[in-house]
Amino acid sequence: MSDVGSEEMDEEQGPYLGEYEGPRNDKDERHGQGKATLPNGDTYEGMYENGKRHGHGVYRFKNGSRYTGEYIKNKKHGNGTFIYPDGSRYEGCWVDDQRCGFGKYFYVNGDTYEGEWLNHVRHGQGTYTYAATGTKYVGTWNSGKREGHGELIHANHKYVGVFKDDRPMGKGKYVFDIGCEQHGEYLGIEQDKDEKGEEDEGAVNIISKWKAGPTTGIHLASEEDELEDAQADAPTTVTDEPAGQEQEASKTPEIKIDDAEDKAPSPVQAEPSQEQEGNQQADEAPATDQEPANEDAEGSGNQETES
């Protein structure tokens, strides 16, 4: 997403005030349904009140951006859709020219975010879906970052826990579709300067590392179990096999997961390092499945001055 060049011009300013077609009030101000061509080439068609955009309208920027929605006193306010220069799109609520309230953002790389916004950034409860993998983060956001309780949902398992500064941190658990869970915690580990190739001596990089805890296992049916079930359904026959051998065959193996640090939960061969070392998906750029930059402010390239 790119907000640069998507700010609208202020009304009735500058030596050249552009062109306007439509009604005016007794103060010669634009009033009612009108159409304006602005000095910088932008156009607006919609409702005016006392010289200001007020009500429903369509503002087209010369760079290809477009806003369709509600205005109050020249500012985007209410429901509206904004298509940005890079093709990304926001549909939802606006307050005082900012994305605020509930809305959905369609990113240029196919990712989507649907949830609450405040002051132009994700803030509150929301769901971010990563198009490349189908992974979803469902949970709390604070100033554009994952913060608080959340779930990172993958194809056959999910992580449930607390996030801090856009990464999992603290106690949580992996829940697998086959019916078992692995409990543990993410620890903040400071990465060595040489490891990350960082030249700035003052730079510090913190990663999250998974420390596995107890696992609640499940019983999987073995071949011996299936054979025993089949024999139970068959007519009773006399055998000379020792009773001890029959008892040994009836034992059911359990899934066991080592408690060693950084060990992936074995039921699905999942890699917790996906989240702990570099797959911090909510802060990535669109081209690399990361969150678009400059989300917290629109650019200042197109200021409106019309009459």
Side-chain angles (χ1 to χ4, degrees), residues 97-117:
D97 249 359
Q98 306 251 310
R99 295 186 291 271
C100 190
F102 188 87
K104 186 172 184 178
Y105 202 106
F106 300 82
Y107 295 89
V108 69
N109 67 341
D111 293 357
T112 61
Y113 170 77
E114 186 172 11
E116 297 175 304
W117 298 76

PDB file of all heavy atoms in Angstrom, residues 97-117:
ATOM      1  N   ASP A  97     -10.887  12.155   8.359  1.00  0.00           N
ATOM      2  CA  ASP A  97      -9.919  11.874   7.291  1.00  0.00           C
ATOM      3  C   ASP A  97      -9.012  10.682   7.576  1.00  0.00           C
ATOM      4  O   ASP A  97      -8.018  10.482   6.873  1.00  0.00           O
ATOM      5  CB  ASP A  97      -9.040  13.103   6.995  1.00  0.00           C
ATOM      6  CG  ASP A  97      -9.343  13.711   5.626  1.00  0.00           C
ATOM      7  OD1 ASP A  97     -10.202  13.171   4.910  1.00  0.00           O
ATOM      8  OD2 ASP A  97      -8.727  14.723   5.281  1.00  0.00           O
ATOM      9  N   GLN A  98      -9.312   9.868   8.589  1.00  0.00           N
ATOM     10  CA  GLN A  98      -8.455   8.736   8.936  1.00  0.00           C
ATOM     11  C   GLN A  98      -9.267   7.441   8.936  1.00  0.00           C
ATOM     12  O   GLN A  98     -10.459   7.434   9.270  1.00  0.00           O
ATOM     13  CB  GLN A  98      -7.856   8.940  10.326  1.00  0.00           C
ATOM     14  CG  GLN A  98      -7.124  10.254  10.502  1.00  0.00           C
ATOM     15  CD  GLN A  98      -5.628  10.064  10.591  1.00  0.00           C
ATOM     16  OE1 GLN A  98      -5.136   9.248  11.349  1.00  0.00           O
ATOM     17  NE2 GLN A  98      -4.891  10.841   9.814  1.00  0.00           N
ATOM     18  N   ARG A  99      -8.605   6.334   8.590  1.00  0.00           N
ATOM     19  CA  ARG A  99      -9.254   5.034   8.748  1.00  0.00           C
ATOM     20  C   ARG A  99      -9.478   4.819  10.242  1.00  0.00           C
ATOM     21  O   ARG A  99      -8.530   4.770  11.019  1.00  0.00           O
ATOM     22  CB  ARG A  99      -8.354   3.928   8.182  1.00  0.00           C
ATOM     23  CG  ARG A  99      -8.150   4.026   6.669  1.00  0.00           C
ATOM     24  CD  ARG A  99      -7.375   2.836   6.114  1.00  0.00           C
ATOM     25  NE  ARG A  99      -5.991   2.821   6.539  1.00  0.00           N
ATOM     26  CZ  ARG A  99      -4.996   3.425   5.892  1.00  0.00           C
ATOM     27  NH1 ARG A  99      -5.240   4.104   4.791  1.00  0.00           N
ATOM     28  NH2 ARG A  99      -3.762   3.351   6.345  1.00  0.00           N
ATOM     29  N   CYS A 100     -10.714   4.658  10.625  1.00  0.00           N
ATOM     30  CA  CYS A 100     -11.042   4.580  12.055  1.00  0.00           C
ATOM     31  C   CYS A 100     -12.369   3.870  12.210  1.00  0.00           C
ATOM     32  O   CYS A 100     -13.352   4.237  11.568  1.00  0.00           O
ATOM     33  CB  CYS A 100     -11.096   5.981  12.660  1.00  0.00           C
ATOM     34  SG  CYS A 100     -11.202   6.005  14.459  1.00  0.00           S
ATOM     35  N   GLY A 101     -12.421   2.846  13.080  1.00  0.00           N
ATOM     36  CA  GLY A 101     -13.616   2.041  13.214  1.00  0.00           C
ATOM     37  C   GLY A 101     -13.410   0.711  12.521  1.00  0.00           C
ATOM     38  O   GLY A 101     -12.291   0.209  12.409  1.00  0.00           O
ATOM     39  N   PHE A 102     -14.488   0.130  12.024  1.00  0.00           N
ATOM     40  CA  PHE A 102     -14.388  -1.188  11.386  1.00  0.00           C
ATOM     41  C   PHE A 102     -14.172  -1.029   9.887  1.00  0.00           C
ATOM     42  O   PHE A 102     -14.855  -0.232   9.227  1.00  0.00           O
ATOM     43  CB  PHE A 102     -15.653  -2.016  11.631  1.00  0.00           C
ATOM     44  CG  PHE A 102     -15.539  -3.437  11.169  1.00  0.00           C
ATOM     45  CD1 PHE A 102     -15.007  -4.405  11.993  1.00  0.00           C
ATOM     46  CD2 PHE A 102     -15.942  -3.807   9.887  1.00  0.00           C
ATOM     47  CE1 PHE A 102     -14.883  -5.725  11.576  1.00  0.00           C
ATOM     48  CE2 PHE A 102     -15.827  -5.117   9.451  1.00  0.00           C
ATOM     49  CZ  PHE A 102     -15.296  -6.081  10.297  1.00  0.00           C
ATOM     50  N   GLY A 103     -13.225  -1.805   9.352  1.00  0.00           N
ATOM     51  CA  GLY A 103     -12.974  -1.741   7.921  1.00  0.00           C
ATOM     52  C   GLY A 103     -12.155  -2.923   7.443  1.00  0.00           C
ATOM     53  O   GLY A 103     -11.574  -3.672   8.232  1.00  0.00           O
ATOM     54  N   LYS A 104     -12.105  -3.072   6.133  1.00  0.00           N
ATOM     55  CA  LYS A 104     -11.347  -4.164   5.516  1.00  0.00           C
ATOM     56  C   LYS A 104     -10.363  -3.584   4.512  1.00  0.00           C
ATOM     57  O   LYS A 104     -10.739  -2.774   3.667  1.00  0.00           O
ATOM     58  CB  LYS A 104     -12.279  -5.158   4.830  1.00  0.00           C
ATOM     59  CG  LYS A 104     -11.569  -6.398   4.287  1.00  0.00           C
ATOM     60  CD  LYS A 104     -12.561  -7.438   3.805  1.00  0.00           C
ATOM     61  CE  LYS A 104     -11.847  -8.706   3.353  1.00  0.00           C
ATOM     62  NZ  LYS A 104     -12.807  -9.759   2.921  1.00  0.00           N
ATOM     63  N   TYR A 105      -9.108  -4.046   4.612  1.00  0.00           N
ATOM     64  CA  TYR A 105      -8.062  -3.570   3.705  1.00  0.00           C
ATOM     65  C   TYR A 105      -7.616  -4.730   2.824  1.00  0.00           C
ATOM     66  O   TYR A 105      -7.315  -5.817   3.316  1.00  0.00           O
ATOM     67  CB  TYR A 105      -6.873  -3.021   4.483  1.00  0.00           C
ATOM     68  CG  TYR A 105      -6.037  -2.069   3.667  1.00  0.00           C
ATOM     69  CD1 TYR A 105      -6.077  -0.704   3.886  1.00  0.00           C
ATOM     70  CD2 TYR A 105      -5.213  -2.537   2.647  1.00  0.00           C
ATOM     71  CE1 TYR A 105      -5.323   0.175   3.120  1.00  0.00           C
ATOM     72  CE2 TYR A 105      -4.460  -1.680   1.885  1.00  0.00           C
ATOM     73  CZ  TYR A 105      -4.516  -0.323   2.117  1.00  0.00           C
ATOM     74  OH  TYR A 105      -3.773   0.541   1.346  1.00  0.00           O
ATOM     75  N   PHE A 106      -7.580  -4.491   1.510  1.00  0.00           N
ATOM     76  CA  PHE A 106      -7.124  -5.477   0.541  1.00  0.00           C
ATOM     77  C   PHE A 106      -5.733  -5.035   0.062  1.00  0.00           C
ATOM     78  O   PHE A 106      -5.602  -4.031  -0.641  1.00  0.00           O
ATOM     79  CB  PHE A 106      -8.086  -5.551  -0.649  1.00  0.00           C
ATOM     80  CG  PHE A 106      -9.493  -5.934  -0.269  1.00  0.00           C
ATOM     81  CD1 PHE A 106     -10.382  -4.983   0.218  1.00  0.00           C
ATOM     82  CD2 PHE A 106      -9.935  -7.243  -0.412  1.00  0.00           C
ATOM     83  CE1 PHE A 106     -11.679  -5.330   0.564  1.00  0.00           C
ATOM     84  CE2 PHE A 106     -11.231  -7.598  -0.074  1.00  0.00           C
ATOM     85  CZ  PHE A 106     -12.109  -6.645   0.417  1.00  0.00           C
ATOM     86  N   TYR A 107      -4.704  -5.787   0.438  1.00  0.00           N
ATOM     87  CA  TYR A 107      -3.338  -5.408   0.117  1.00  0.00           C
ATOM     88  C   TYR A 107      -2.968  -5.855  -1.292  1.00  0.00           C
ATOM     89  O   TYR A 107      -3.563  -6.785  -1.848  1.00  0.00           O
ATOM     90  CB  TYR A 107      -2.371  -5.990   1.144  1.00  0.00           C
ATOM     91  CG  TYR A 107      -2.580  -5.405   2.519  1.00  0.00           C
ATOM     92  CD1 TYR A 107      -3.489  -5.980   3.402  1.00  0.00           C
ATOM     93  CD2 TYR A 107      -1.903  -4.265   2.919  1.00  0.00           C
ATOM     94  CE1 TYR A 107      -3.706  -5.432   4.658  1.00  0.00           C
ATOM     95  CE2 TYR A 107      -2.111  -3.710   4.170  1.00  0.00           C
ATOM     96  CZ  TYR A 107      -3.021  -4.299   5.035  1.00  0.00           C
ATOM     97  OH  TYR A 107      -3.250  -3.750   6.270  1.00  0.00           O
ATOM     98  N   VAL A 108      -1.957  -5.216  -1.839  1.00  0.00           N
ATOM     99  CA  VAL A 108      -1.585  -5.441  -3.236  1.00  0.00           C
ATOM    100  C   VAL A 108      -1.064  -6.867  -3.458  1.00  0.00           C
ATOM    101  O   VAL A 108      -1.157  -7.395  -4.565  1.00  0.00           O
ATOM    102  CB  VAL A 108      -0.552  -4.390  -3.691  1.00  0.00           C
ATOM    103  CG1 VAL A 108       0.787  -4.601  -3.012  1.00  0.00           C
ATOM    104  CG2 VAL A 108      -0.387  -4.394  -5.206  1.00  0.00           C
ATOM    105  N   ASN A 109      -0.541  -7.515  -2.425  1.00  0.00           N
ATOM    106  CA  ASN A 109      -0.044  -8.885  -2.575  1.00  0.00           C
ATOM    107  C   ASN A 109      -1.121  -9.936  -2.324  1.00  0.00           C
ATOM    108  O   ASN A 109      -0.829 -11.136  -2.326  1.00  0.00           O
ATOM    109  CB  ASN A 109       1.131  -9.123  -1.625  1.00  0.00           C
ATOM    110  CG  ASN A 109       0.708  -9.095  -0.170  1.00  0.00           C
ATOM    111  OD1 ASN A 109      -0.354  -8.562   0.159  1.00  0.00           O
ATOM    112  ND2 ASN A 109       1.521  -9.646   0.703  1.00  0.00           N
ATOM    113  N   GLY A 110      -2.367  -9.507  -2.102  1.00  0.00           N
ATOM    114  CA  GLY A 110      -3.461 -10.448  -1.883  1.00  0.00           C
ATOM    115  C   GLY A 110      -3.832 -10.646  -0.427  1.00  0.00           C
ATOM    116  O   GLY A 110      -4.874 -11.245  -0.125  1.00  0.00           O
ATOM    117  N   ASP A 111      -3.004 -10.192   0.510  1.00  0.00           N
ATOM    118  CA  ASP A 111      -3.351 -10.272   1.927  1.00  0.00           C
ATOM    119  C   ASP A 111      -4.565  -9.396   2.217  1.00  0.00           C
ATOM    120  O   ASP A 111      -4.844  -8.436   1.489  1.00  0.00           O
ATOM    121  CB  ASP A 111      -2.194  -9.782   2.800  1.00  0.00           C
ATOM    122  CG  ASP A 111      -0.984 -10.696   2.747  1.00  0.00           C
ATOM    123  OD1 ASP A 111      -1.051 -11.747   2.085  1.00  0.00           O
ATOM    124  OD2 ASP A 111       0.043 -10.346   3.362  1.00  0.00           O
ATOM    125  N   THR A 112      -5.268  -9.715   3.288  1.00  0.00           N
ATOM    126  CA  THR A 112      -6.386  -8.878   3.716  1.00  0.00           C
ATOM    127  C   THR A 112      -6.347  -8.707   5.230  1.00  0.00           C
ATOM    128  O   THR A 112      -5.846  -9.572   5.956  1.00  0.00           O
ATOM    129  CB  THR A 112      -7.755  -9.484   3.338  1.00  0.00           C
ATOM    130  OG1 THR A 112      -7.910 -10.762   3.986  1.00  0.00           O
ATOM    131  CG2 THR A 112      -7.882  -9.651   1.833  1.00  0.00           C
ATOM    132  N   TYR A 113      -6.861  -7.576   5.683  1.00  0.00           N
ATOM    133  CA  TYR A 113      -7.083  -7.360   7.116  1.00  0.00           C
ATOM    134  C   TYR A 113      -8.516  -6.879   7.282  1.00  0.00           C
ATOM    135  O   TYR A 113      -8.955  -5.948   6.601  1.00  0.00           O
ATOM    136  CB  TYR A 113      -6.135  -6.317   7.697  1.00  0.00           C
ATOM    137  CG  TYR A 113      -6.521  -5.917   9.107  1.00  0.00           C
ATOM    138  CD1 TYR A 113      -6.242  -6.737  10.190  1.00  0.00           C
ATOM    139  CD2 TYR A 113      -7.214  -4.733   9.354  1.00  0.00           C
ATOM    140  CE1 TYR A 113      -6.617  -6.382  11.484  1.00  0.00           C
ATOM    141  CE2 TYR A 113      -7.591  -4.366  10.642  1.00  0.00           C
ATOM    142  CZ  TYR A 113      -7.292  -5.196  11.701  1.00  0.00           C
ATOM    143  OH  TYR A 113      -7.676  -4.853  12.970  1.00  0.00           O
ATOM    144  N   GLU A 114      -9.236  -7.505   8.193  1.00  0.00           N
ATOM    145  CA  GLU A 114     -10.616  -7.108   8.480  1.00  0.00           C
ATOM    146  C   GLU A 114     -10.772  -6.962   9.978  1.00  0.00           C
ATOM    147  O   GLU A 114     -10.556  -7.905  10.730  1.00  0.00           O
ATOM    148  CB  GLU A 114     -11.603  -8.150   7.945  1.00  0.00           C
ATOM    149  CG  GLU A 114     -13.058  -7.746   8.077  1.00  0.00           C
ATOM    150  CD  GLU A 114     -14.007  -8.687   7.364  1.00  0.00           C
ATOM    151  OE1 GLU A 114     -13.551  -9.773   6.949  1.00  0.00           O
ATOM    152  OE2 GLU A 114     -15.202  -8.351   7.220  1.00  0.00           O
ATOM    153  N   GLY A 115     -11.110  -5.759  10.405  1.00  0.00           N
ATOM    154  CA  GLY A 115     -11.242  -5.522  11.832  1.00  0.00           C
ATOM    155  C   GLY A 115     -11.260  -4.053  12.166  1.00  0.00           C
ATOM    156  O   GLY A 115     -11.675  -3.220  11.351  1.00  0.00           O
ATOM    157  N   GLU A 116     -10.773  -3.743  13.355  1.00  0.00           N
ATOM    158  CA  GLU A 116     -10.847  -2.378  13.873  1.00  0.00           C
ATOM    159  C   GLU A 116      -9.594  -1.570  13.527  1.00  0.00           C
ATOM    160  O   GLU A 116      -8.489  -2.110  13.461  1.00  0.00           O
ATOM    161  CB  GLU A 116     -11.049  -2.425  15.396  1.00  0.00           C
ATOM    162  CG  GLU A 116     -12.361  -3.074  15.803  1.00  0.00           C
ATOM    163  CD  GLU A 116     -12.491  -3.222  17.301  1.00  0.00           C
ATOM    164  OE1 GLU A 116     -11.596  -3.842  17.918  1.00  0.00           O
ATOM    165  OE2 GLU A 116     -13.485  -2.717  17.863  1.00  0.00           O
ATOM    166  N   TRP A 117      -9.818  -0.260  13.330  1.00  0.00           N
ATOM    167  CA  TRP A 117      -8.751   0.687  13.004  1.00  0.00           C
ATOM    168  C   TRP A 117      -8.833   1.887  13.937  1.00  0.00           C
ATOM    169  O   TRP A 117      -9.902   2.215  14.451  1.00  0.00           O
ATOM    170  CB  TRP A 117      -8.889   1.187  11.570  1.00  0.00           C
ATOM    171  CG  TRP A 117      -8.776   0.133  10.517  1.00  0.00           C
ATOM    172  CD1 TRP A 117      -9.729  -0.791  10.166  1.00  0.00           C
ATOM    173  CD2 TRP A 117      -7.660  -0.112   9.666  1.00  0.00           C
ATOM    174  NE1 TRP A 117      -9.266  -1.585   9.159  1.00  0.00           N
ATOM    175  CE2 TRP A 117      -7.998  -1.194   8.825  1.00  0.00           C
ATOM    176  CE3 TRP A 117      -6.412   0.487   9.539  1.00  0.00           C
ATOM    177  CZ2 TRP A 117      -7.129  -1.698   7.870  1.00  0.00           C
ATOM    178  CZ3 TRP A 117      -5.539  -0.011   8.578  1.00  0.00           C
ATOM    179  CH2 TRP A 117      -5.898  -1.093   7.758  1.00  0.00           C
TER     180      TRP A 117
END
